[in-house]
PDB file of all heavy atoms in Angstrom:
ATOM      1  N   ALA A 407      15.019  -9.931   0.537  1.00 62.00           N
ATOM      2  CA  ALA A 407      16.380  -9.442   0.760  1.00 62.00           C
ATOM      3  C   ALA A 407      17.123  -9.185  -0.539  1.00 62.00           C
ATOM      4  O   ALA A 407      18.152  -8.558  -0.557  1.00 62.00           O
ATOM      5  CB  ALA A 407      17.173 -10.518   1.551  1.00 62.00           C
ATOM      6  N   LEU A 408      16.587  -9.744  -1.665  1.00 65.00           N
ATOM      7  CA  LEU A 408      17.255  -9.514  -2.985  1.00 65.00           C
ATOM      8  C   LEU A 408      17.155  -8.067  -3.417  1.00 65.00           C
ATOM      9  O   LEU A 408      16.090  -7.461  -3.369  1.00 65.00           O
ATOM     10  CB  LEU A 408      16.622 -10.439  -4.031  1.00 65.00           C
ATOM     11  CG  LEU A 408      16.966 -11.915  -3.867  1.00 65.00           C
ATOM     12  CD1 LEU A 408      16.123 -12.732  -4.839  1.00 65.00           C
ATOM     13  CD2 LEU A 408      18.452 -12.140  -4.163  1.00 65.00           C
ATOM     14  N   ARG A 409      18.240  -7.511  -3.845  1.00 50.00           N
ATOM     15  CA  ARG A 409      18.298  -6.184  -4.401  1.00 50.00           C
ATOM     16  C   ARG A 409      18.813  -6.219  -5.822  1.00 50.00           C
ATOM     17  O   ARG A 409      18.912  -5.156  -6.460  1.00 50.00           O
ATOM     18  CB  ARG A 409      19.213  -5.297  -3.517  1.00 50.00           C
ATOM     19  CG  ARG A 409      18.723  -5.089  -2.095  1.00 50.00           C
ATOM     20  CD  ARG A 409      17.366  -4.322  -2.065  1.00 50.00           C
ATOM     21  NE  ARG A 409      16.935  -4.066  -0.731  1.00 50.00           N
ATOM     22  CZ  ARG A 409      16.174  -4.882  -0.013  1.00 50.00           C
ATOM     23  NH1 ARG A 409      15.806  -6.020  -0.548  1.00 50.00           N
ATOM     24  NH2 ARG A 409      15.801  -4.589   1.191  1.00 50.00           N
ATOM     25  N   SER A 410      19.074  -7.370  -6.348  1.00 57.00           N
ATOM     26  CA  SER A 410      19.552  -7.457  -7.730  1.00 57.00           C
ATOM     27  C   SER A 410      18.366  -7.315  -8.709  1.00 57.00           C
ATOM     28  O   SER A 410      17.172  -7.471  -8.322  1.00 57.00           O
ATOM     29  CB  SER A 410      20.197  -8.797  -7.980  1.00 57.00           C
ATOM     30  OG  SER A 410      19.305  -9.868  -7.677  1.00 57.00           O
ATOM     31  N   VAL A 411      18.673  -7.011  -9.974  1.00 57.00           N
ATOM     32  CA  VAL A 411      17.646  -6.827 -10.993  1.00 57.00           C
ATOM     33  C   VAL A 411      16.956  -8.222 -11.218  1.00 57.00           C
ATOM     34  O   VAL A 411      17.566  -9.218 -11.292  1.00 57.00           O
ATOM     35  CB  VAL A 411      18.292  -6.381 -12.270  1.00 57.00           C
ATOM     36  CG1 VAL A 411      17.246  -6.403 -13.454  1.00 57.00           C
ATOM     37  CG2 VAL A 411      18.868  -4.988 -12.143  1.00 57.00           C
ATOM     38  N   ALA A 412      15.643  -8.150 -11.278  1.00 59.00           N
ATOM     39  CA  ALA A 412      14.875  -9.387 -11.493  1.00 59.00           C
ATOM     40  C   ALA A 412      15.116  -9.866 -12.935  1.00 59.00           C
ATOM     41  O   ALA A 412      14.962  -9.084 -13.901  1.00 59.00           O
ATOM     42  CB  ALA A 412      13.379  -9.148 -11.279  1.00 59.00           C
ATOM     43  N   LYS A 413      15.484 -11.112 -13.104  1.00 58.00           N
ATOM     44  CA  LYS A 413      15.817 -11.618 -14.395  1.00 58.00           C
ATOM     45  C   LYS A 413      14.757 -12.556 -14.912  1.00 58.00           C
ATOM     46  O   LYS A 413      14.149 -13.346 -14.153  1.00 58.00           O
ATOM     47  CB  LYS A 413      17.170 -12.382 -14.350  1.00 58.00           C
ATOM     48  CG  LYS A 413      18.398 -11.523 -14.127  1.00 58.00           C
ATOM     49  CD  LYS A 413      18.662 -10.665 -15.345  1.00 58.00           C
ATOM     50  CE  LYS A 413      19.962  -9.831 -15.163  1.00 58.00           C
ATOM     51  NZ  LYS A 413      20.188  -9.016 -16.338  1.00 58.00           N
ATOM     52  N   PHE A 414      14.583 -12.532 -16.228  1.00 53.00           N
ATOM     53  CA  PHE A 414      13.632 -13.435 -16.873  1.00 53.00           C
ATOM     54  C   PHE A 414      14.346 -14.733 -17.175  1.00 53.00           C
ATOM     55  O   PHE A 414      15.352 -14.758 -17.878  1.00 53.00           O
ATOM     56  CB  PHE A 414      13.074 -12.816 -18.170  1.00 53.00           C
ATOM     57  CG  PHE A 414      12.221 -13.754 -18.994  1.00 53.00           C
ATOM     58  CD1 PHE A 414      10.911 -13.954 -18.660  1.00 53.00           C
ATOM     59  CD2 PHE A 414      12.794 -14.464 -20.036  1.00 53.00           C
ATOM     60  CE1 PHE A 414      10.122 -14.792 -19.371  1.00 53.00           C
ATOM     61  CE2 PHE A 414      12.002 -15.350 -20.769  1.00 53.00           C
ATOM     62  CZ  PHE A 414      10.677 -15.524 -20.467  1.00 53.00           C
ATOM     63  N   GLU A 415      13.902 -15.839 -16.597  1.00 59.00           N
ATOM     64  CA  GLU A 415      14.475 -17.163 -16.857  1.00 59.00           C
ATOM     65  C   GLU A 415      13.381 -18.179 -17.133  1.00 59.00           C
ATOM     66  O   GLU A 415      12.528 -18.408 -16.273  1.00 59.00           O
ATOM     67  CB  GLU A 415      15.327 -17.604 -15.660  1.00 59.00           C
ATOM     68  CG  GLU A 415      16.551 -16.690 -15.398  1.00 59.00           C
ATOM     69  CD  GLU A 415      17.349 -17.123 -14.191  1.00 59.00           C
ATOM     70  OE1 GLU A 415      16.985 -18.242 -13.616  1.00 59.00           O
ATOM     71  OE2 GLU A 415      18.263 -16.413 -13.858  1.00 59.00           O
ATOM     72  N   MET A 416      13.460 -18.772 -18.315  1.00 56.00           N
ATOM     73  CA  MET A 416      12.393 -19.686 -18.681  1.00 56.00           C
ATOM     74  C   MET A 416      13.062 -20.792 -19.556  1.00 56.00           C
ATOM     75  O   MET A 416      13.573 -20.501 -20.647  1.00 56.00           O
ATOM     76  CB  MET A 416      11.289 -19.014 -19.463  1.00 56.00           C
ATOM     77  CG  MET A 416      10.150 -19.939 -19.852  1.00 56.00           C
ATOM     78  SD  MET A 416       9.276 -20.564 -18.448  1.00 56.00           S
ATOM     79  CE  MET A 416       8.611 -19.046 -17.732  1.00 56.00           C
ATOM     80  N   GLY A 417      13.021 -21.992 -19.094  1.00 52.00           N
ATOM     81  CA  GLY A 417      13.621 -23.088 -19.802  1.00 52.00           C
ATOM     82  C   GLY A 417      12.773 -23.655 -20.922  1.00 52.00           C
ATOM     83  O   GLY A 417      13.207 -24.124 -21.939  1.00 52.00           O
ATOM     84  N   LYS A 418      11.455 -23.683 -20.736  1.00 52.00           N
ATOM     85  CA  LYS A 418      10.547 -24.224 -21.720  1.00 52.00           C
ATOM     86  C   LYS A 418       9.254 -23.458 -21.661  1.00 52.00           C
ATOM     87  O   LYS A 418       9.061 -22.545 -20.875  1.00 52.00           O
ATOM     88  CB  LYS A 418      10.269 -25.749 -21.443  1.00 52.00           C
ATOM     89  CG  LYS A 418       9.593 -25.979 -20.086  1.00 52.00           C
ATOM     90  CD  LYS A 418       9.317 -27.506 -19.900  1.00 52.00           C
ATOM     91  CE  LYS A 418       8.627 -27.748 -18.565  1.00 52.00           C
ATOM     92  NZ  LYS A 418       8.299 -29.175 -18.367  1.00 52.00           N
ATOM     93  N   SER A 419       8.329 -23.834 -22.558  1.00 58.00           N
ATOM     94  CA  SER A 419       7.043 -23.185 -22.601  1.00 58.00           C
ATOM     95  C   SER A 419       6.376 -23.151 -21.211  1.00 58.00           C
ATOM     96  O   SER A 419       6.222 -24.235 -20.584  1.00 58.00           O
ATOM     97  CB  SER A 419       6.128 -23.872 -23.622  1.00 58.00           C
ATOM     98  OG  SER A 419       4.804 -23.378 -23.520  1.00 58.00           O
TER      99      SER A 419
END
Side-chain angles (χ1 to χ4, degrees):
L408 287 172
R409 295 296 183 271
S410 58
V411 173
K413 290 290 185 181
F414 173 82
E415 295 180 5
M416 181 64 63
K418 62 178 182 178
S419 170

